[in-house]
Amino acid sequence: MPTTMRTGGAHTGPSMSPRRPTTTRDLQAAVAGLKGEVRFNAPLREFTSFRIGGPADALVIPADVEDLSKLVQQARIAKVPIFVVGGTNLLVRDSGIRGVVVSLAKLNHVKDEAGGVLYAEGGVGMPTLLRFAISRSLSGLEWAAGIPGTVAGCVVMNAGTRLGQMDQALKAVHIVDRQGKLVECPAADIRFTYRRALLPPGIVAGVWVQLRPANRDKIATVVKDYLRYRKDTQPLTLASAGCVFKNSERGPAGKLIEEAGLKGARVGDAQVSEKHANFIVNLGDARASDVLALIKKVGRTVEERTGVTLELELKIVGQP
Ligand code: EPU
């Protein structure tokens, strides 16, 4: 996004390249005077659930939403691209990401508003929001049990499971727009599709969800059962980016991949999970190039065997 928030992660908007290569001076102008943390040439490995990824020219963890707005304004003037890293469902290429990469880790506050409405800042983890909802005996987010991403990432991706998805609970979204202004966007103005939300350009800084009062033990039981199901069927103890492919009309991607005989298939330290074939796991030192080669192999094999072209759910970002 030439003011440039590219799609993927917890941001929205058109993907555009800066008009000229970003210089060190541009980067310094973009991050000048911020209260939050700034790291140059920062490896992104530790910011992704895959534990894979080359460096960001600059990684910024804004201290609060004002800091985020200031960064957006300054980056726009300096023509430095911004990418928000949600971290899950994301593969960062080995050569990393040019410009500024933003982590919303410090936008991590949740508050209770009247009438079953909760407000969560964009960097709040979905598990935290779900725990908060249970503590207030509020139902409507049980579908999210086991989803590790941030609430901002869940909105951008319209994250979901077979129990439900983000758009069903969403009331409105707070967006830091291209000018760095904080604007409110009602859910009714957003078009949602399978694993995608068409949001106005900008960065998701916060989310209102509308929930319903319910029996706390009942909510907790649904969540517990669902977490157990995921633990039994998914490789949650290994680094991964969740499901790699979207399910197809011809059946769940995991089933098609297993039937193609690909469970356990490996390129370097990237492996099609033995437990759930729609997960690729990092056995230790996988590089993005290993994952990409494995994705290609899985896609090709499934297509040859079934005629189904699998579509990626995983977002791939960074310099090719
Ligand atoms: N299956 C296989 N082999 C496998 C995996 C699955 O045959 O290796 C079969 C299962 O036996 C089952 C069917 O495929 O009959 C569906 O499997 P599962 O219940 O595991 O659900 P899924 O469709 O594979 C979806 C979401 C997951 C979410 C689970 C649980 C997608 C692409 N995936 O998986 O989301 O955790 O339901 O609700 O929608 C993610 O988004 O990152 C993700 C993992």
Side-chain angles (χ1 to χ4, degrees):
M1 335 164 161
T3 224
T4 49
M5 302 153 213
R6 283 167 254 150
T7 19
H11 58 274
T12 73
S15 175
M16 298 181 259
S17 315
R19 273 170 229 140
R20 58 185 166 77
T22 302
T23 64
T24 307
R25 186 181 288 195
D26 297 332
L27 280 174
Q28 280 165 346
V31 304
L34 296 176
K35 289 176 284 176
E37 205 177 315
V38 178
R39 301 182 205 166
F40 292 98
N41 199 24
L44 292 171
R45 209 168 172 264
E46 65 179 284
F47 288 89
T48 69
S49 60
F50 234 148
R51 298 283 171 261
I52 294 174
D57 288 340
L59 174 87
V60 177
I61 310 177
D64 51 32
V65 73
E66 288 76 31
D67 221 23
L68 176 63
S69 295
K70 180 171 174 163
L71 169 65
V72 169
Q73 286 166 29
Q74 295 182 163
R76 182 168 196 263
I77 294 165
K79 297 190 167 58
V80 173
I82 294 181
F83 178 81
V84 182
V85 64
T88 59
N89 239 271
L90 187 73
L91 177 67
V92 176
R93 287 193 170 94
D94 299 315
S95 48
I97 301 179
R98 302 291 71 83
V100 168
V101 171
V102 176
S103 159
L104 300 178
K106 286 186 184 149
L107 269 67
N108 59 0
H109 301 99
V110 185
K111 66 179 188 217
D112 204 346
E113 298 192 348
V117 175
L118 300 181
Y119 179 77
E121 288 188 309
V124 170
M126 205 37 152
T128 304
L129 183 58
L130 178 56
R131 271 197 306 273
F132 193 94
I134 296 172
S135 75
R136 301 295 193 276
S137 302
L138 290 171
S139 167
L141 289 176
E142 293 86 321
W143 57 268
I147 289 189
T150 59
V151 296
C154 285
V155 170
V156 172
M157 285 211 60
N158 194 16
T161 62
R162 66 188 154 73
L163 292 189
Q165 58 191 30
M166 193 69 204
D167 58 0
Q168 294 161 348
L170 198 67
K171 183 165 186 276
V173 180
H174 239 167
I175 289 175
V176 171
D177 72 9
R178 289 172 167 190
Q179 275 67 43
K181 224 171 84 203
L182 190 62
V183 293
E184 194 178 322
C185 178
D189 292 353
I190 302 169
R191 201 164 79 78
F192 296 95
T193 58
Y194 175 65
R195 300 294 173 267
R196 187 142 186 246
L198 297 175
L199 291 148
I203 296 176
V204 175
V207 162
W208 285 269
V209 287
Q210 174 68 68
L211 307 176
R212 312 172 292 281
N215 178 285
R216 188 187 302 184
D217 292 341
K218 275 197 186 144
I219 307 171
T221 303
V222 173
V223 168
K224 212 168 122 200
D225 289 351
Y226 205 49
L227 284 174
R228 190 177 312 120
Y229 174 75
R230 289 184 70 132
K231 214 168 138 202
D232 289 347
T233 57
Q234 299 181 359
L236 301 184
T237 55
L238 292 169
S240 83
C243 285
V244 174
F245 296 99
K246 294 178 182 176
N247 283 339
S248 88
E249 281 168 9
R250 295 263 303 276
K255 187 162 185 280
L256 297 173
I257 298 166
E258 175 168 357
E259 285 169 359
L262 287 161
K263 269 191 168 173
R266 215 173 139 169
V267 175
D269 262 357
Q271 185 186 43
V272 174
S273 165
E274 304 269 9
K275 204 164 179 182
H276 193 300
N278 198 14
F279 281 67
I280 289 179
V281 292
N282 177 1
L283 297 175
D285 280 323
R287 297 173 58 78
S289 54
D290 299 330
V291 177
L292 291 168
L294 191 53
I295 287 173
K296 215 170 184 179
K297 178 177 170 154
V298 169
R300 208 177 40 226
T301 311
V302 169
E303 189 156 0
E304 279 165 11
R305 286 186 54 112
T306 65
V308 174
T309 307
L310 290 175
E311 205 186 316
L312 276 180
E313 173 167 318
L314 180 72
K315 297 271 181 288
I316 300 169
V317 295
Q319 294 302 112

